[in-house]
Amino acid sequence: MGSSDQLKSESLLELMKEHLTTDAGKQITKKIGLVYQINIAPKKIGFDEVIFTVDLKKGEVKKGPYEGGKPDATFSFKDDDFVKVALGKMNPQVAFMRGAMKIKGSLSAATKFTPDIFPKPAKICHPTHPIAHTTSKGNMNFLLSFCFCLCVSRLPSFATPAVLFQGFNWDSSKKGGWYNSLKTTIPELASSGITHVWLPPPSHSNATEGYDPGRLYDLDASSYGNKDELKSLIATMHDKGIKAIADIVLNHRSAVKQDENGIWSIFEGGTQDGRLDFNASLICRDDNDHPFGTGNPDTGDNFPYTADVDHTNPRLQTELSDWLNWLKTDIGFDGWRLDYVIGYGSSITKLYMEKTSPEFAVAEYWRWNISKGQDGKLDKNQDAHRNEIVNWIEAAGGVVTAFDLTTKYILNVAVEGELWRLKDSNGKPPGLIGIKPESAVTFIDNHDTGSQRLLPFPDDKVLLGYAYILTHPGTPSIFYDHFFDWGWPKEPIRNLTAIRARNGINSRSSVTILAAEADLYMANIDDKIIMKIGPRLDLGDLDPTKSNFHVATSGGDFAVWEKN
């Protein structure tokens, strides 16, 4: 073991050791219950490393390897790189891809090692604090900054206010030059509080919308534009601080050629070296629509029309992972929207997440199994529906979010005079945001539910829906049509995103429901804002202006108050 002289990291870990003895620190130990090992090298990872154990089972920090078995996750850094990541001078994903940050063990455990574990800045900035007397000025700045930064940014959520925007609809592929058209909107999206834009499937496809992918590496055959236009769009997004999320279709592929028997069973990847070129051997043998497949049985639901691929095949796993990483490094994507994840096992999603380390990923886990009574109306209790999504998230490694379909189903109905539905038996929101908000992406409509009218939100209640999701925990998503094509909801939506941002409302925010009746829903979020939807005007004692709040924005049947 090397000397720890002048390691900037050790001062932070000493501070953490002290913090874990406090009441707040004991709560962290109780909540996390995991053991981490941190290896800090003065010059090069693997050489003269100083090992620290952060035991969040016992609430201890000590120098030396973990003696109680195998730690849940191990991080390795050079001391300087650790500082760069912590200060935001090096993107953690870049650090990971370049080998400047190495992770071993459980990625699910690694994602729980967040800034929440460390003491807040107020606890270390006072000059009388003992650490302040033993820490150099440079190290002190490092400690202060670290409390705001994330060593491992692969969280299944956003700890700071974030808003996703779907940058297309079902008909966008038919309009020509979509990438170039969307590029002109990026400045406005950035000024409207959008942090992430979900882009359509980028590859060649047998269907113009992109969901029947063929040559995955061929980005010039997309109906939305060519590769250079896509890269230019993403560069513009990055210049404005917006992350690019690719719509990824992994479950199925479309053949591009017929074999000698006239069967469409030849699949090409779009490169000269044969990557992702394959035949029937990589198609699931139990795909009834494509009985020529000779691969292993499907690990998920069958998708009609196109061929379900065998994700248990090591070659396919490697080549799909390489393609995804190419989309990141060569094209500039920051994360994924995973299409039709019920089509393959949750362990497959976990594998691709581990191999590609996206900055953010959201999955479309959608089953039409919402609970209804004999009258065809939704049952009030939808715990089974949301618990199924939670179980899938956990089985997929806990590092991917999912669209909150439970909230979508309930909110669709609730705004039609049944706002009592927005409170579960525990007094919490009834959707995924009520039990696992950090992993929930809420939405009003998308290219399926809105454009194709598969589960449309009531048109005249759209702003009530946005007043709900843009003030509540989870990561809210705004649909292209509502913001640009409709025109009229734009300013109210912008007002809501601004309120969310300046009050720091995020995926982990707390909700206290004040009222949930047929014509009134009110909630206090983080004790910073109070929101209301519903036609009732007489709020009585619930009127926020009686308790140090003022109106921040309002419209037909909705309002938001901010604390004075």
Side-chain angles (χ1 to χ4, degrees):
M1 184 185 298
S3 170
S4 62
D5 290 348
Q6 298 182 341
L7 283 183
K8 304 177 184 70
S9 312
E10 187 165 6
S11 296
L12 171 67
L13 294 166
E14 282 295 321
L15 180 64
M16 185 176 183
K17 180 178 180 179
E18 179 181 331
H19 179 56
L20 290 178
T21 65
T22 67
D23 289 342
K26 291 175 182 178
Q27 287 298 315
I28 290 169
T29 300
K30 181 178 179 181
K31 177 181 178 182
I32 304 296
L34 297 169
V35 177
Y36 299 98
Q37 184 170 298
I38 304 176
N39 303 337
I40 303 294
K43 297 296 183 182
K44 184 177 181 180
I45 291 177
F47 293 86
D48 298 324
E49 289 184 329
V50 180
I51 301 175
F52 299 90
T53 297
V54 179
D55 188 338
L56 295 182
K57 290 182 178 179
K58 297 181 179 180
E60 297 176 348
V61 177
K62 68 175 186 178
K63 188 182 295 185
Y66 181 49
E67 298 175 351
K70 187 176 181 181
D72 294 286
T74 298
F75 303 90
S76 297
F77 287 93
K78 286 195 310 179
D79 194 36
D80 287 344
D81 287 336
F82 185 68
V83 173
K84 289 177 183 177
V85 170
L87 294 179
K89 295 180 179 179
M90 181 187 295
N91 184 288
Q93 299 310 117
V94 173
F96 183 79
M97 293 297 293
R98 292 179 179 174
M101 175 178 72
K102 295 186 177 181
I103 304 173
K104 293 182 180 179
S106 167
L107 285 178
S108 178
T111 62
K112 294 181 173 65
F113 196 77
T114 73
D116 295 338
I117 293 174
F118 292 86
K120 298 297 183 285
K123 296 183 180 294
I124 66 174
C125 64
H126 198 279
T128 62
H129 194 284
I131 295 296
H133 291 288
T134 59
T135 307
S136 69
K137 180 179 179 181
N139 284 4
M140 196 65 205
N141 289 335
F142 161 66
L143 294 178
L144 287 166
S145 299
F146 189 89
C147 294
F148 295 103
C149 299
L150 188 59
C151 248
V152 182
S153 69
R154 288 190 60 244
L155 285 170
S157 64
F158 296 99
T160 54
V163 179
L164 177 67
F165 181 84
Q166 183 174 4
F168 65 100
N169 60 32
W170 190 250
D171 295 323
S172 297
S173 61
K174 304 176 179 65
K175 298 179 180 180
W178 188 255
Y179 292 150
N180 290 336
S181 175
L182 186 62
K183 181 179 175 180
T184 65
T185 71
I186 298 305
E188 182 176 4
L189 291 178
S191 68
S192 300
I194 303 301
T195 59
H196 294 66
V197 172
W198 160 19
L199 299 177
S203 302
H204 159 266
S205 171
N206 282 359
T208 60
E209 297 82 13
Y211 291 97
D212 295 341
R215 298 187 300 272
L216 293 181
Y217 276 98
D218 184 358
L219 305 191
D220 287 322
S222 168
S223 300
Y224 299 98
N226 61 40
K227 181 172 71 173
D228 288 342
E229 291 167 346
L230 174 58
K231 293 178 72 171
S232 178
L233 166 61
I234 293 174
T236 299
M237 292 167 58
H238 287 168
D239 286 344
K240 293 295 183 180
I242 295 176
K243 302 292 186 179
I245 309 302
D247 202 322
I248 300 297
V249 186
L250 295 178
N251 176 71
H252 47 272
R253 294 278 295 282
S254 289
V256 297
K257 293 181 181 178
Q258 295 171 294
D259 62 17
E260 63 275 9
N261 298 314
I263 298 175
W264 290 88
S265 63
I266 299 176
F267 302 79
E268 294 181 352
T271 66
Q272 295 182 351
D273 58 13
R275 283 172 291 168
L276 290 174
D277 290 358
F278 56 84
N279 54 28
S281 65
L282 289 180
I283 302 302
C284 296
R285 71 180 66 166
D286 53 353
D287 187 336
N288 294 329
D289 299 301
H290 300 81
F292 57 80
T294 60
N296 292 312
D298 204 339
T299 58
D301 291 12
N302 178 65
F303 188 84
Y305 312 121
T306 52
D308 286 23
V309 300
D310 176 13
H311 287 283
T312 66
N313 186 287
R315 176 200 160 194
L316 184 64
Q317 293 174 0
T318 296
E319 293 188 3
L320 279 176
S321 298
D322 288 346
W323 171 66
L324 289 168
N325 284 321
W326 174 78
L327 288 177
K328 288 174 57 180
T329 57
D330 284 39
I331 308 304
F333 281 108
D334 302 287
W336 321 129
R337 179 267 183 184
L338 300 172
D339 180 72
Y340 197 73
V341 295
I342 64 171
Y344 44 90
S346 54
S347 62
I348 301 299
T349 298
K350 181 179 180 181
L351 181 148
Y352 290 125
M353 291 291 291
E354 290 175 346
K355 286 181 176 291
T356 65
S357 301
E359 186 270 341
F360 173 69
V362 56
E364 181 200 34
Y365 186 90
W366 187 0
R367 295 189 186 278
W368 295 77
N369 60 346
I370 197 78
S371 178
K372 295 182 179 180
Q374 293 184 349
D375 58 2
K377 294 184 177 181
L378 296 189
D379 290 329
K380 181 178 181 180
N381 188 322
Q382 296 295 341
D383 287 352
H385 190 270
R386 63 179 176 177
N387 286 338
E388 181 178 336
I389 301 175
V390 170
N391 292 339
W392 180 87
I393 291 170
E394 294 299 331
V399 293
V400 58
T401 65
F403 287 109
D404 190 348
L405 265 299
T406 312
T407 290
K408 162 68 172 170
Y409 275 107
I410 294 172
L411 195 56
N412 267 34
V413 177
V415 295
E416 299 279 30
E418 299 180 0
L419 292 170
W420 49 266
R421 291 183 177 274
L422 296 178
K423 182 178 180 180
D424 70 10
S425 59
N426 294 314
K428 301 293 185 180
L432 184 59
I433 60 171
I435 55 175
K436 198 173 179 62
E438 69 276 11
S439 298
V441 174
T442 53
F443 69 106
I444 302 305
D445 269 324
N446 60 30
H447 63 295
D448 287 323
T449 68
S451 298
Q452 300 185 78
R453 311 301 285 178
L454 295 180
L455 185 66
F457 202 82
D459 289 348
D460 61 336
K461 301 293 194 299
V462 160
L463 279 180
L464 273 67
Y466 280 115
Y468 183 87
I469 69 170
L470 288 171
T471 57
H472 278 59
T475 300
S477 179
I478 297 171
F479 185 35
Y480 181 92
D481 289 15
H482 296 156
F483 198 75
F484 286 117
D485 285 356
W486 286 24
W488 63 268
K490 183 183 294 187
E491 284 309 310
I493 290 174
R494 286 170 59 97
N495 292 339
L496 290 165
T497 59
I499 291 169
R500 184 179 186 87
R502 65 176 175 257
N503 288 281
I505 307 303
N506 60 73
S507 63
R508 298 173 185 268
S509 289
S510 63
V511 179
T512 301
I513 297 176
L514 306 175
E517 303 171 24
D519 60 350
L520 177 66
Y521 173 84
M522 290 185 68
N524 181 313
I525 293 84
D526 286 345
D527 199 30
K528 295 179 178 178
I529 65 172
I530 294 176
M531 60 79 63
K532 166 253 180 184
I533 57 175
R536 188 189 302 180
L537 298 177
D538 184 4
L539 303 181
D541 292 339
L542 292 176
D543 185 346
T545 61
K546 297 180 179 180
S547 55
N548 202 32
F549 284 81
H550 66 273
V551 175
T553 190
S554 63
D557 294 344
F558 79 91
V560 181
W561 295 261
E562 286 181 294
K563 206 163 193 176
N564 293 330

